[in-house]
Amino acid sequence: MPPPLHRTSSQALWLGAAALLLATTGCRRHDSHATAHEPVQGGTLIYATDREPICLDPHVQGDMPQVFLAEQYLDSLVAMDSSGRILPWLATDWTVSEDGRTYIFHLRHDVTFTDGTPFTAEAVRANLDHMVDPHTQSSTAGGYIKQYAGTDIIDAYTAAVHLKTPYAAFLEVLAQGFLGIESPRALARPRDENCQNPVGSGPFRIVRWDHQSQIVLERNPAYRWGSPTAHHTGPAYLDRIEWRIIPEASVRFAALQAGEVDAIDSLPPEAETPARRNPDLWLLMADRPGNPTNGTLNIKRAPFDDIRVREAFIRSADIDGALASVFFHHYRRAGGPLSPTTPFYSPTFEHHADYDPDRARALLDQAGWTGRTEDGIRTRNGHALIVHIPLKASLSAAERTLWEQVQATARATGFDVRLENGDDTSILEREGHWDYDVRIGYWNTNTADVLRIVFSSAFLGAAGVGGHHQNEAGFSDPTFDQIVNDALLTTDPDKRRALYLQAQTIAARNFLQITTYPQSTRLALSRAVHDVRLEPSLNVTSLYDAWVTR
């Protein structure tokens, strides 16, 4: 017999006052483009982005280009609104056992995937099973639901989802597009086939993928079950979306100015001021929650197995100066382990490791790096203080320049920082073998449980495509593990906030990352485009409400 149940959702799950940051201080939404006109049905929107997904199925690996696209053709069991509440979507209601290990979802009866398969409890089971299947190689979705134990089908529209341990963040992560629900018939195909043309129940369906060029989507005319955060009901207004891949930032922005595309994301910082001054364009921007853009230090080997050297390196990096010169003051600093839009974020750590070259030099002296080469690099026992930072080919030019500035300021305190270029595959292989001193990355998610994913010992093992590690620092601390695990055992927002404050404290005091800026969604759009919105859980683009005038 299942354990006793208590109801958590038609009134929605409240994440605590900290979640209000999702809608207030952290978000920077500019130049809102309101219109008094009625939406126009039909037309094509040409949307240009910088990176092509490695797979269109967001369950596989799980990188941001996948979730941006998934938002257009997948629906989720639940939704998150801008104040952090969890709302019904494909699941109309749910109950949670007193021990927090069983979720019984009651499902809509009227939902159909675009391949004709009905949405039932079997689809819930097939999707969750798919996410945790090792063959799927799911770094993101599978990593989020490591606690998943299995699903029982109570009836066609009732699913009992069982967890190995309580998981207070479960509904939060289910609201993300990474865990969007796909057709079980489509999931039964080989993984690579499903990567090419996954099937959802969303407002659009994927028509074709012309690799390195574009992904074409068409309207789902049967759509009647939009997100509760949407601004209309029924089918999407647009007939068609052309999702173009234009990696070069200047070319992408020029295409928007020339009217060749209707909207672009990843607006380069040097283009923000010209875009604001262009009366034919409008901007939509917001910071994304999670672990901010960073360089994670590998503490499993020298020199960063010494906390004094870690702190010295972080204090040798003039991030504020780099952001000012590289990003033209358009990107703000993120100094702590959580981006400010993340629930339970604390501002306490924003300046815990600011640029301080004098302290950096003193720390290196304490750590025994007292010798000098002719060109000023610190040495100890005849060995130079070298830091290896692999750079993927896909890294943006601005990000590359930022790390060149880190290289310059760190050299002034005696670090020989070597920026080592490579293709993405070879860099991923190096990371899988811990062959780096600093790994550049980020983790976007709508829960402070990101701290467990990026720093707890449970995530030291390789996961996903390329075999990279989610805990890239190699950090292992039983006290930290206990804190982040305890935070998953309670839904009390005050208790969670206190625990996540402790977790942020430990992460910050161990000097595990050079944090730089929050990841953000940065859209520039033609004035002919209306009502493009950002989905609240991750602040990614939603085109369901969008319409165009020509």
Side-chain angles (χ1 to χ4, degrees):
M1 178 178 293
L5 302 172
H6 62 89
R7 191 164 300 279
T8 65
S9 153
S10 357
Q11 290 82 31
L13 178 68
W14 178 246
L15 295 178
L20 289 171
L21 287 166
L22 287 168
T24 54
T25 58
C27 287
R28 299 173 293 137
R29 300 173 188 262
H30 300 297
D31 298 352
S32 59
H33 182 40
T35 176
H37 299 293
E38 288 295 316
V40 174
Q41 185 76 47
T44 296
L45 188 147
I46 303 175
Y47 182 99
T49 187
D50 60 336
R51 286 195 292 150
E52 183 173 40
I54 61 164
C55 167
L56 303 191
D57 173 4
H59 299 175
V60 175
Q61 189 173 2
D63 196 5
M64 290 308 294
Q66 293 168 274
V67 80
F68 268 78
L69 192 72
E71 179 62 27
Q72 319 315 319
Y73 74 91
L74 292 182
D75 298 321
S76 299
L77 284 176
V78 298
M80 175 183 277
D81 72 9
S82 59
S83 65
R85 295 177 301 166
I86 301 297
L87 305 175
W89 192 354
L90 296 184
T92 61
D93 204 280
W94 53 89
T95 52
V96 184
S97 63
E98 292 291 346
D99 66 1
R101 294 172 57 187
T102 298
Y103 288 68
I104 296 182
F105 292 99
H106 305 277
L107 310 177
R108 292 185 67 127
H109 294 204
D110 60 342
V111 176
T112 304
F113 296 100
T114 55
D115 64 358
T117 304
F119 168 69
T120 65
E122 181 54 47
V124 175
R125 178 164 65 184
N127 275 263
L128 295 175
D129 288 355
H130 183 250
M131 294 172 201
V132 300
D133 183 344
H135 181 70
T136 304
Q137 294 188 303
S138 180
S139 300
T140 301
Y144 286 150
I145 60 169
K146 280 179 175 285
Q147 298 87 344
Y148 175 68
T151 299
D152 290 332
I153 307 300
I154 296 177
D155 60 42
Y157 297 102
T158 310
V161 177
H162 303 291
L163 306 178
K164 301 168 190 172
T165 57
Y167 183 30
F170 188 47
L171 294 174
E172 298 165 27
V173 299
L174 285 177
Q176 297 184 23
F178 287 118
L179 289 85
I181 303 299
E182 303 178 39
S183 164
R185 183 194 303 173
L187 288 178
R189 300 175 297 177
R191 188 190 65 189
D192 291 346
E193 182 179 343
N194 197 64
C195 275
Q196 179 70 26
N197 186 26
V199 177
S201 61
F204 299 94
R205 66 182 184 90
I206 294 171
V207 177
R208 72 174 190 271
W209 180 8
D210 301 325
H211 289 262
Q212 301 179 1
S213 176
Q214 67 176 355
I215 301 154
V216 178
L217 302 95
E218 291 182 352
R219 184 170 67 106
N220 175 6
Y223 196 66
R224 298 290 188 278
W225 42 83
S227 166
T229 64
H231 287 221
H232 84 286
T233 59
Y237 297 119
L238 296 169
D239 285 337
R240 179 181 171 98
I241 301 168
E242 294 181 9
W243 196 274
R244 295 189 182 172
I245 315 301
I246 305 178
E248 177 56 48
S250 61
V251 175
R252 196 165 59 252
F253 183 55
L256 176 67
Q257 291 178 301
E260 298 168 1
V261 304
D262 300 306
I264 64 171
D265 67 20
S266 300
L267 176 71
E270 65 272 16
E272 182 170 334
T273 297
R276 290 187 183 286
R277 293 173 177 168
N278 188 331
D280 296 325
L281 303 179
W282 62 287
L283 306 184
L284 180 60
M285 298 185 177
D287 290 342
R288 298 199 288 260
N291 181 224
T293 313
N294 66 79
T296 298
L297 279 55
N298 178 5
I299 72 173
K300 292 173 69 70
R301 71 181 193 182
F304 293 140
D305 55 350
D306 186 330
I307 191 172
R308 295 168 297 184
V309 181
R310 298 202 296 272
E311 181 181 352
F313 183 64
I314 292 171
R315 292 193 183 281
S316 296
D318 183 8
I319 299 301
D320 289 298
L323 292 177
S325 62
V326 177
F327 295 104
F328 304 93
H329 298 280
H330 293 313
Y331 284 31
R332 63 171 173 169
R333 176 75 191 276
L338 291 179
S339 295
T341 51
T342 315
F344 307 117
Y345 156 85
S346 171
T348 304
F349 311 100
E350 285 299 326
H351 299 287
H352 84 284
D354 280 354
Y355 179 53
D356 188 344
D358 290 337
R359 176 161 174 77
R361 294 185 187 100
L363 286 164
L364 291 178
D365 288 341
Q366 293 172 23
W369 293 92
T370 54
R372 295 272 188 172
T373 65
E374 291 183 357
D375 53 357
I377 300 302
R378 295 273 186 149
T379 63
R380 187 181 68 180
N381 300 327
H383 298 286
L385 185 52
I386 299 172
V387 175
H388 299 274
I389 307 181
L391 302 182
K392 295 178 182 175
S394 60
L395 196 69
S396 71
E399 184 79 0
R400 193 175 299 271
T401 303
L402 184 151
W403 283 96
E404 288 171 354
Q405 297 213 9
V406 170
Q407 179 186 46
T409 57
R411 187 176 188 85
T413 56
F415 288 91
D416 180 4
V417 178
R418 300 184 180 181
L419 303 178
E420 298 162 349
N421 296 311
D423 61 88
D424 287 16
T425 301
S426 64
I427 298 299
L428 282 170
E429 184 175 353
R430 284 186 62 179
E431 292 169 357
H433 291 92
W434 297 98
D435 182 18
Y436 58 91
D437 295 314
V438 179
R439 195 264 184 187
I440 298 171
Y442 58 86
W443 194 287
N444 290 327
T445 187
N446 60 349
T447 170
D449 188 45
V450 69
L451 296 168
R452 183 177 62 93
I453 293 171
V454 299
F455 297 128
S456 81
S457 58
F459 288 84
L460 283 170
V465 176
H468 73 278
H469 307 269
Q470 290 156 310
N471 178 347
E472 294 149 352
F475 182 64
S476 181
D477 181 333
T479 300
F480 179 88
D481 291 349
Q482 186 66 53
I483 290 168
V484 292
N485 289 332
D486 286 349
L488 298 179
L489 303 180
T490 176
T491 57
D492 183 306
D494 291 331
K495 292 179 180 178
R496 293 182 77 191
R497 185 179 301 108
L499 289 165
Y500 284 126
L501 177 60
Q502 293 178 50
Q504 290 171 78
T505 300
I506 292 173
R509 287 179 178 172
N510 277 278
F511 297 97
L512 302 173
Q513 294 180 327
I514 295 180
T515 52
T516 56
Y517 57 90
Q519 280 283 301
S520 60
T521 297
R522 299 168 51 82
L523 305 183
L525 308 99
S526 162
R527 291 281 174 184
V529 177
H530 309 263
D531 292 342
V532 172
R533 306 192 187 281
L534 300 182
E535 178 278 326
S537 75
L538 290 175
N539 280 331
V540 300
T541 305
S542 172
L543 299 178
Y544 170 50
D545 288 317
W547 51 284
V548 294
T549 53
R550 301 298 182 191

